[in-house]
Amino acid sequence: MAEHHAASDGKHKASANAGGSVHGNSRPGAAGGGGGGGGGKGGLSGGLTQPAGWQSLLSFSILFLACLAGFSSRLFAVIRFESIIHEFDPWFNYRSTHHLTTNGFFEFLNWFDERAWYPLGRIVGGTVYPGLMVTAGLIHYVLNLLHITVHIRDVCVFLAPVFSGLTAISTFLLTRELWNQGAGLLAACFIAIVPGYISRSVAGSFDNEGIAIFALQFTYYLWVKSVKTGSVFWTIGCCLSYFYMVSAWGGYVFIINLIPLHVFVLLLMQRYSRRVYIAYSTFYIVGLILSMQIPFVGFQPIRTSEHMAAAGVFALLQAYAFLQYLKDRLTRQEFQTLFFLGVSLAAGVVFLTVIYLTYTGIYAKIHIPIIASVSEHQPTTWVSFFFDLHILVCTFPAGLWFCIKNINDERVFVALYAISAVYFAGVMVRLMLTLTPVVCMLSAVAFSSVFEHYMGDDTKREKPPAEDSSDEDDKRNSGNLYDKAGKVRKHVSEQEKAEEGLGPNVKSIVTMLMLMLLMMFAVHCTWVTSNAYSSPSVVLASYNHDGTRNILDDFREAYYWLRQNTDEHARVMSWWDYGYQIAGMANRTTLVDNNTWNNSHIALVGKAMSSNESAAYQIMRSLDVDYVLIIFGGVIGYSGDDINKFLWMVRIAEGEHPKDIRESDYFTPQGEFRVDKAGSPTLLNCLMYKMSYYRFGEMQLDFRTPPGFDRTRNAEIGNKDIKFKHLEEAFTSEHWLVRIYKVKNLDNREPLDHKLRSVVPKQKYTSKKVAGHILFCCFNQK
Amino acid sequence: MASVWAKSFAHLPVLSVFFFLLLCLPPGGGQKKKENLLSEKVDQMMEWSSRRSVVRMNGDKFRRFVKAPPRNYSVIVMFTALQPQRQCSVCRQANEEYQVLANSWRYSSAFSNKLFFTVVDYDEGADVFQQLNMNSAPTFMHFPAKGKPKRADTFDLQRIGFASEQLAKWIADRTDVQIRVFRPPNYSGTIALALLVSLVGGLLYLRRNNLEFIYNKTGWAMAALCVVFAMTSGQMWNHIRGPPYAHKNPQNGQVSYIHGSSQAQFVAESHIILLLNAAITMGMVLLNEAATSKGDVGKRRIICLVGLGLVVFFFSFLLSIFRSKYHGYPYSFLIK
């Protein structure tokens, strides 16, 4: 059985390669769109003497254009706003990179950051994946060596778009190994513009995923290459690429489970060969040693359950190879078969258990409130799939179908890749990122096989008959597999007629409609990139009726105020979302930040925010807080503000302090969360509410609404008379988006000797913020 | 009143003593009577709950043991409608959770006469429902040892759900009785898996001489596509979130299968999407097959056009559904 399969497998491979070399010229035209189409045909008729030359020129230019398109469609944010680091995590990465470039690599590895998680601090060097910082630092160093003086910020901003080009190239290489060159070019074009990948790699999104997808694809390419060739050279390349991936992103676990799974399935399918043995043994040993060099990973690869599958498969492969060796020496076939069955069954059980453990681990983590509070960790609806992948999500199953029908060693890999990635993407929205490359590859396979049959008819007739017939022959065989009726083979001439019989009209209609679908895909991608994924979220924009734009730069205004007007060692309390930004932009000490490693510390901050003022003051005194920073969107209708996140603060605080904080206290008797008069008194008097709405009751935004009307929640606030005892307003930004309060020191102790004198504690509320208030009333959002 | 009691408790010898006391004692001995009554009630409740962890009550029992004043124990009451003709599936789920909780309390070392779990079924005590102005089931209420139930003594089912852990938390909040929920381990999943494995193994063993079907690529490809379609149509989301199958508008009875927001989906909707995705994929495969298969030209041309039609029509349909969910999306194709 195995022999038979190996034989048919070889044939298919040959057919795929033949198809690639023959039809390669016509398909790039489809991939390149309208511009490339004419060039492809002209090139073919003129360059038949040197088809390889034309082909590589076309491939090169199409790849180059794909990279260029990918790069430029990621620049929306830079063109609309400026070259700025986006969102939250990138600010930490930027800060670390800055530290790396100013203090050197070893200083970076030993970096203890006393400005985060006050008073605990954070060992940064040992708790980050340094790949991103080192890459950016290296590029910066090389550029400066060449006397191209760029600021490190610009290197960081443009790193992800540059790497998207590299991802396109490695996707091309991988798809070429799996199917043929035409599919590879299509896949490169797809991945260059697909929103599922752009979402993590726009200019300014300086995050691990941006470079990790390149490393992922390149590792897979080298792995497929090493399974195909069985050469140690390619495997060592694969290990180095894996090392880069480990240094860049925690998602390397996906690789170290998928490759063993591939080997395991190959063994089950009795496709074991010396090539697989060499590739996997080398990969496992060298990759293991290299991955343990990253300080953050350390000894995890030999300790944790995620890595055990790899070790199990390694042991299994050795046992299998040993048995194969024995088989040559011994004659008792039956005994060996039984033995093999026993071993593989045991290994399979171990493997499944490990998978099960990993699965339950992931599943359990979803239900911890702090993880559940992050929207990225939600399961995925079909709308997100369609939004991020558009037509690719409907066509990639067809590609998977073709791959499984014409299976060989490396297509086993891509099928496993697709199935596991689609499962993980279904569980968690953010893992859409690992699904995207394989979807691009398989869709490219589907589209390319359609174009292959419907575009190349004119050229086929011109070809020498010998090559044509062999090509047809192979194609016939591959087609035969899913042809239900086993029909008698016809002669070459008859086939030719049949091939023509489909008619040029039908063929051109099919081609045209397919191209139209692809065009719609490109339009969709651009629209999504421009509308959904190109907002820096540090700078906001709003549009007036006449289409003019207002830039709301409140965040940076406030952070800059902190930087200029507060003590260098001042400690700023805020919800954890803003920790990295405060550290990066204001350069002040924070209590909690986006690296949510200490839940109880976060719960303490949540407790302070959700208690009343005097209870909160005690917590803040014990944490040495100097300033409190909150985000308030009620003036401009910004929905991502702290009041909307408030229930998560309560929930997380309740998890650690169930005696003091109860979620039900913050709801009305009807179980609603309201900020108006009907809201629960606990809510109306908690610190977060008071800080958000302090002086807001005096402010009339619009003549149609009463004073103190919250635009985000469309309600008039319930507590307009807010007075502070222990805090004072220090700063409020132009659109009230960021409000900063100073925590007052303890009052002086009353002197004991003047007993008759009654001391009234001085209560003077000065507001340092005035500018923009009057201007603001006229501000009209949307 | 007394006759009612007599009817319901005639079989209990303890009760006759109580009756005797009740009838014979002059009104002046109120204090003593109260104590006796109380201990009677406690004994009675203890006896019932030692038999079954959740005590079933009808209207009279409810009034006597839960509403009537001399009490030193808290009672948790689940008002529900478990009769099959009521068709209340939520009640059944809630009842299971409630039983788990009551059993955890019943068999815990801290079990005492301070807390009892009872249930009132609508078909056995409709008058109780009327008396308490209750028009929805299931409802959990706590009747404290002293005083009337307050607002917080009604469990907020809508918001918290009815998991026994949540119920235990609420009870701890109201009565200071901590119950550690002990769920009987659920072996059904393991058993099902073992059954499946043994079934597959047995099948393989029976057909060991003819294992060709394992090498059937079509079967494997179908299985792979099933996984892919299930995931891309958001079945995992359904599994985790548990949305309704479809939404029926209570005003005009119109059933909508598509959720209006892009953040959520109905089960029916995900099935529609699954079919659409499958149709588009099939169209692509047919297109390919029309070009590669040998045979009658006319037949192949029809296959080709059918494939093209499947891809184009169902894709534009999918796009229009997407457009109706994702407000502000500008593009459409063939179908608005």
Side-chain angles (χ1 to χ4, degrees):
Chain A
M1 200 59 223
E3 275 74 16
H4 168 72
H5 269 265
S8 69
D9 156 34
K11 221 178 225 169
H12 296 317
K13 205 189 284 176
S15 92
N17 288 343
S21 60
V22 173
H23 302 299
N25 287 345
S26 54
R27 258 167 285 108
K41 282 214 174 118
L44 191 77
S45 53
L48 265 179
T49 46
Q50 284 178 308
W54 277 105
Q55 199 173 328
S56 48
L57 178 63
L58 258 179
S59 307
F60 179 80
S61 44
I62 287 166
L63 265 184
F64 177 73
L65 285 176
C67 294
L68 202 68
F71 183 83
S72 40
S73 73
R74 281 166 171 80
L75 299 185
F76 277 109
V78 171
I79 292 166
R80 283 192 196 145
F81 299 96
E82 60 188 285
S83 167
I84 187 184
I85 306 284
H86 290 190
E87 296 196 319
F88 307 108
D89 284 15
W91 275 102
F92 168 75
N93 296 328
Y94 169 60
R95 184 159 159 256
S96 318
T97 314
H98 195 262
H99 190 88
L100 171 72
T101 48
T102 43
N103 295 320
F105 180 66
F106 291 104
E107 181 56 35
F108 169 72
L109 281 185
N110 290 325
W111 186 21
F112 178 80
D113 186 7
E114 71 278 357
R115 301 218 144 195
W117 293 93
Y118 182 86
L120 307 168
R122 176 185 172 191
I123 305 161
V124 175
T127 57
V128 289
Y129 291 103
L132 182 71
M133 295 91 180
V134 172
T135 309
L138 201 69
I139 293 174
H140 182 246
Y141 175 76
V142 169
L143 287 178
N144 274 304
L145 213 63
L146 300 172
H147 292 287
I148 305 170
T149 46
V150 235
H151 193 267
I152 182 68
R153 190 196 65 226
D154 293 317
V155 175
C156 293
V157 166
F158 292 104
L159 190 74
V162 167
F163 267 77
S164 79
L166 295 179
T167 310
I169 292 171
S170 52
T171 305
F172 162 73
L173 292 173
L174 179 55
T175 319
R176 193 179 61 177
E177 291 303 319
L178 294 171
W179 201 259
N180 58 31
Q181 186 142 1
L185 288 173
L186 263 180
C189 295
F190 285 158
I191 197 137
I193 56 168
V194 69
Y197 177 42
I198 285 192
S199 64
R200 295 319 183 91
S201 63
V202 290
S205 158
F206 180 56
D207 216 342
N208 292 332
E209 289 94 332
I211 64 168
I213 293 301
F214 158 69
L216 183 85
Q217 286 293 87
F218 200 59
T219 310
Y220 285 155
Y221 162 64
L222 291 170
W223 167 250
V224 165
K225 197 80 187 166
S226 44
V227 167
K228 263 184 157 177
T229 58
S231 94
V232 177
F233 170 74
W234 288 110
T235 319
I236 294 294
C238 178
C239 293
L240 290 175
S241 174
Y242 173 66
F243 173 62
Y244 185 61
M245 176 72 187
V246 176
S247 76
W249 194 38
Y252 77 88
V253 177
F254 184 50
I255 298 183
I256 199 65
N257 281 301
L258 187 61
I259 288 179
L261 183 67
H262 180 212
V263 173
F264 183 67
V265 172
L266 284 182
L267 287 189
L268 279 189
M269 294 172 77
Q270 307 199 340
R271 285 175 171 273
Y272 168 82
S273 63
R274 198 159 285 178
R275 291 173 285 122
V276 176
Y277 179 78
I278 293 170
Y280 187 68
S281 302
T282 318
F283 170 78
Y284 181 69
I285 296 297
V286 180
L288 182 77
I289 291 171
L290 284 178
S291 67
M292 282 162 68
Q293 307 308 311
I294 305 296
F296 189 32
V297 177
F299 280 92
Q300 274 178 35
I302 51 171
R303 272 205 203 126
T304 56
S305 67
E306 297 101 273
H307 300 80
M308 283 307 123
V313 170
F314 179 68
L316 179 71
L317 192 67
Q318 304 307 318
Y320 194 95
F322 182 65
L323 277 179
Q324 289 281 326
Y325 173 74
L326 282 186
K327 212 171 170 182
D328 299 341
R329 300 296 161 108
L330 298 173
T331 45
R332 292 177 62 192
Q333 195 78 20
E334 290 291 324
F335 169 73
Q336 280 163 29
T337 323
L338 272 180
F339 193 71
F340 157 70
L341 275 178
V343 166
S344 64
L345 223 87
V349 167
V350 168
F351 194 77
L352 285 177
T353 332
V354 168
I355 296 277
Y356 176 73
L357 285 176
T358 323
Y359 168 72
T360 46
I362 290 168
Y363 201 73
K365 278 180 205 155
I366 293 171
H367 294 285
I368 301 169
I370 196 152
I371 291 183
S373 74
V374 181
S375 62
E376 284 178 344
H377 297 155
Q378 308 298 329
T380 317
T381 58
W382 75 267
V383 174
S384 335
F385 276 109
F386 192 82
F387 188 71
D388 277 350
L389 303 169
H390 197 246
I391 191 157
L392 306 187
V393 78
C394 337
T395 50
F396 96 94
L400 184 60
W401 177 271
F402 297 146
C403 275
I404 295 181
K405 286 297 234 178
N406 308 316
I407 201 91
N408 60 23
D409 284 357
E410 55 270 14
R411 288 175 197 165
V412 171
F413 178 75
V414 79
L416 291 172
Y417 183 8
I419 291 167
S420 51
V422 82
Y423 168 74
F424 287 117
V427 175
M428 223 189 252
V429 170
R430 63 179 296 188
L431 294 181
M432 184 77 82
L433 191 66
T434 51
L435 174 68
T436 306
V438 72
V439 165
C440 289
M441 280 156 32
L442 288 176
S443 275
V445 166
F447 273 108
S448 124
S449 53
V450 168
F451 284 132
E452 188 174 320
H453 298 309
Y454 287 91
M455 278 187 105
D457 53 349
D458 297 349
T459 56
K460 223 175 262 170
R461 252 172 277 149
E462 291 172 20
K463 263 174 283 167
E467 192 189 283
D468 193 39
S469 74
S470 75
D471 182 45
E472 287 301 308
D473 201 1
D474 283 335
K475 225 187 278 164
R476 167 73 24 78
N477 272 349
S478 64
N480 211 1
L481 289 168
Y482 45 94
D483 193 2
K484 288 147 279 172
K487 297 206 170 167
V488 192
R489 259 185 100 175
K490 289 178 189 170
H491 285 290
V492 174
S493 55
E494 268 177 313
Q495 292 161 21
E496 283 261 287
K497 257 180 216 158
E499 193 67 28
E500 281 169 38
L502 212 49
N505 288 335
V506 174
K507 283 189 171 183
S508 52
I509 287 173
V510 170
T511 313
M512 225 174 60
L513 280 170
M514 284 294 145
L515 282 178
M516 199 152 162
L517 290 181
L518 288 185
M519 202 188 73
M520 287 181 62
F521 170 69
V523 171
H524 170 91
C525 290
T526 317
W527 185 83
V528 168
T529 309
S530 152
N531 283 284
Y533 292 135
S534 292
S535 156
S537 82
V538 173
V539 185
L540 306 172
S542 74
Y543 293 91
N544 294 336
H545 293 298
D546 53 353
T548 54
R549 191 175 59 159
N550 285 312
I551 295 281
L552 313 182
D553 210 358
D554 285 37
F555 286 106
R556 288 197 293 176
E557 184 194 347
Y559 293 137
Y560 199 63
W561 182 89
L562 269 180
R563 197 181 187 113
Q564 296 293 312
N565 296 293
T566 60
D567 182 69
E568 195 193 344
H569 296 291
R571 289 156 295 263
V572 184
M573 180 171 93
S574 72
W575 190 236
W576 59 264
D577 295 18
Y578 311 104
Y580 279 162
Q581 290 187 347
I582 293 171
M585 283 189 260
N587 196 20
R588 291 293 173 264
T589 307
T590 56
L591 271 73
V592 291
D593 63 31
N594 309 44
N595 177 287
T596 50
W597 63 278
N598 190 332
N599 193 30
S600 64
H601 213 54
I602 291 177
L604 210 55
V605 171
K607 189 184 171 190
M609 295 290 192
S610 41
S611 318
N612 61 32
E613 193 189 345
S614 48
Y617 186 62
Q618 284 191 341
I619 299 171
M620 291 193 291
R621 290 291 305 174
S622 68
L623 289 172
D624 285 346
V625 175
D626 295 315
Y627 292 91
V628 188
L629 179 144
I630 58 155
I631 307 297
F632 171 61
V635 174
I636 54 165
Y638 173 68
S639 62
D641 68 350
D642 277 347
I643 294 279
N644 278 1
K645 287 175 188 165
F646 185 58
L647 279 181
W648 286 111
M649 303 185 201
V650 174
R651 269 170 216 159
I652 292 167
E654 189 186 12
E656 295 277 330
H657 310 277
K659 287 277 170 214
D660 306 310
I661 306 288
R662 266 186 225 98
E663 194 188 342
S664 53
D665 294 346
Y666 294 85
F667 288 104
T668 59
Q670 287 77 40
E672 290 168 295
F673 181 74
R674 309 178 65 137
V675 294
D676 55 9
K677 279 212 175 61
S680 86
T682 320
L683 173 67
L684 297 194
N685 289 302
C686 74
L687 187 71
M688 175 54 80
Y689 188 92
K690 286 172 82 174
M691 286 195 298
S692 290
Y693 293 117
Y694 178 62
R695 294 198 305 114
F696 186 63
E698 307 156 13
M699 182 173 171
Q700 188 164 17
L701 287 166
D702 205 327
F703 293 110
R704 284 162 294 182
T705 54
F709 185 80
D710 184 333
R711 278 182 170 163
T712 308
R713 285 153 286 271
N714 283 326
E716 188 186 350
I717 59 169
N719 184 1
K720 289 189 185 172
D721 181 34
I722 295 171
K723 293 215 165 22
F724 280 117
K725 189 154 180 265
H726 305 292
L727 297 173
E728 62 183 1
E729 187 182 11
F731 176 82
T732 296
S733 65
E734 188 184 343
H735 304 105
W736 287 45
L737 204 51
V738 185
R739 310 195 73 177
I740 300 172
Y741 289 83
K742 185 171 171 37
V743 180
K744 285 198 270 191
N745 280 326
L746 288 171
D747 288 333
N748 281 336
R749 185 164 290 215
E750 293 165 24
L752 290 173
D753 45 348
H754 297 99
K755 275 181 185 162
L756 293 173
R757 192 179 147 200
S758 70
V759 181
V760 181
K762 218 169 139 189
Q763 293 209 356
K764 194 177 159 198
Y765 300 114
T766 47
S767 139
K768 291 184 181 163
K769 150 73 197 153
V770 271
H773 181 105
I774 297 164
L775 186 146
F776 199 64
C777 299
C778 320
F779 169 70
N780 201 352
Q781 204 243 342
K782 283 200 178 166
Chain B
M1 205 64 185
S3 69
V4 175
W5 291 347
K7 211 191 275 174
S8 31
F9 303 124
H11 59 287
L12 301 167
V14 197
L15 254 282
S16 55
V17 180
F18 162 72
F19 261 100
F20 179 73
L21 287 172
L22 193 74
L23 295 172
C24 300
L25 278 175
Q31 189 58 39
K32 198 164 184 207
K33 187 190 93 179
K34 229 179 193 175
E35 266 170 33
N36 272 336
L37 189 68
L38 188 63
S39 64
E40 289 296 334
K41 278 166 79 172
V42 171
D43 285 350
Q44 181 65 62
M45 287 295 274
M46 280 302 274
E47 193 191 328
W48 278 333
S49 50
S50 65
R51 249 184 270 153
R52 292 177 70 174
S53 50
V54 176
V55 182
R56 288 193 82 85
M57 295 226 160
N58 55 21
D60 300 318
K61 281 189 199 170
F62 176 77
R63 273 186 286 280
R64 177 158 144 66
F65 288 94
V66 181
K67 288 287 272 190
R71 263 190 304 130
N72 61 355
Y73 49 85
S74 298
V75 185
I76 309 291
V77 186
M78 175 173 71
F79 298 95
T80 187
L82 287 174
Q83 294 295 324
Q85 74 264 21
R86 299 277 165 215
Q87 292 191 338
C88 174
S89 62
V90 186
C91 299
R92 228 160 293 140
Q93 292 166 21
N95 186 40
E96 271 164 30
E97 291 291 312
Y98 193 60
Q99 293 287 354
V100 166
L101 182 68
N103 280 325
S104 322
W105 168 240
R106 171 70 187 77
Y107 297 108
S108 77
S109 52
F111 178 67
S112 70
N113 56 11
K114 289 281 160 253
L115 178 69
F116 296 105
F117 288 92
T118 63
V119 58
V120 177
D121 197 295
Y122 182 79
D123 296 281
E124 293 167 18
D127 46 338
V128 179
F129 277 72
Q130 277 158 20
Q131 198 181 337
L132 290 171
N133 254 339
M134 207 170 280
N135 44 19
S136 70
T139 308
F140 294 95
M141 271 186 86
H142 166 240
F143 290 85
K146 288 185 186 65
K148 294 228 173 230
K150 295 184 198 64
R151 182 175 63 79
D153 282 318
T154 306
F155 183 66
D156 190 354
L157 200 81
Q158 298 293 329
R159 201 167 54 74
I160 317 179
F162 46 71
S164 12
E165 286 78 11
Q166 296 293 341
L167 277 166
K169 219 167 134 193
W170 170 68
I171 289 168
D173 196 34
R174 303 307 311 167
T175 64
D176 291 328
V177 176
Q178 302 282 349
I179 304 176
R180 245 188 81 222
V181 176
F182 176 76
R183 279 177 192 278
N186 189 359
Y187 293 114
S188 60
T190 325
I191 289 171
L193 194 74
L195 220 69
L196 192 80
V197 167
S198 55
L199 207 75
V200 170
L203 238 127
L204 286 184
Y205 182 75
L206 284 180
R207 298 193 56 181
R208 64 187 175 282
N209 296 324
N210 187 14
L211 286 175
E212 279 299 311
F213 70 96
I214 292 187
Y215 301 104
N216 184 358
K217 287 176 194 163
T218 316
W220 288 106
M222 289 291 234
L225 290 202
C226 285
V227 174
V228 167
F229 288 135
M231 287 300 157
T232 53
S233 62
Q235 301 301 325
M236 189 47 96
W237 195 90
N238 292 347
H239 176 71
I240 293 174
R241 289 293 158 80
Y245 189 77
H247 177 71
K248 193 174 179 186
N249 194 331
Q251 264 91 49
N252 50 18
Q254 215 167 27
V255 182
S256 56
Y257 294 104
I258 311 287
H259 197 283
S261 133
S262 61
Q263 305 292 320
Q265 63 186 18
F266 293 132
V267 178
E269 177 183 345
S270 68
H271 291 163
I272 294 171
I273 299 305
L274 194 152
L275 290 180
L276 290 182
N277 278 344
I280 294 168
T281 302
M282 209 171 87
M284 288 299 266
V285 173
L286 283 184
L287 272 181
N288 204 49
E289 191 162 331
T292 51
S293 73
K294 55 191 191 292
D296 184 27
V297 177
K299 206 171 122 194
R300 278 173 48 205
R301 203 174 281 171
I302 289 170
I303 292 179
C304 166
L305 289 178
V306 166
L308 188 67
L310 280 177
V311 172
V312 171
F313 175 73
F314 284 110
F315 182 70
S316 42
F317 190 43
L318 186 63
L319 198 64
S320 76
I321 295 179
F322 174 74
R323 196 163 177 236
S324 72
K325 279 175 77 82
Y326 200 91
H327 305 291
Y329 184 72
Y331 306 116
S332 66
F333 185 57
L334 299 184
I335 306 170
K336 268 279 168 190

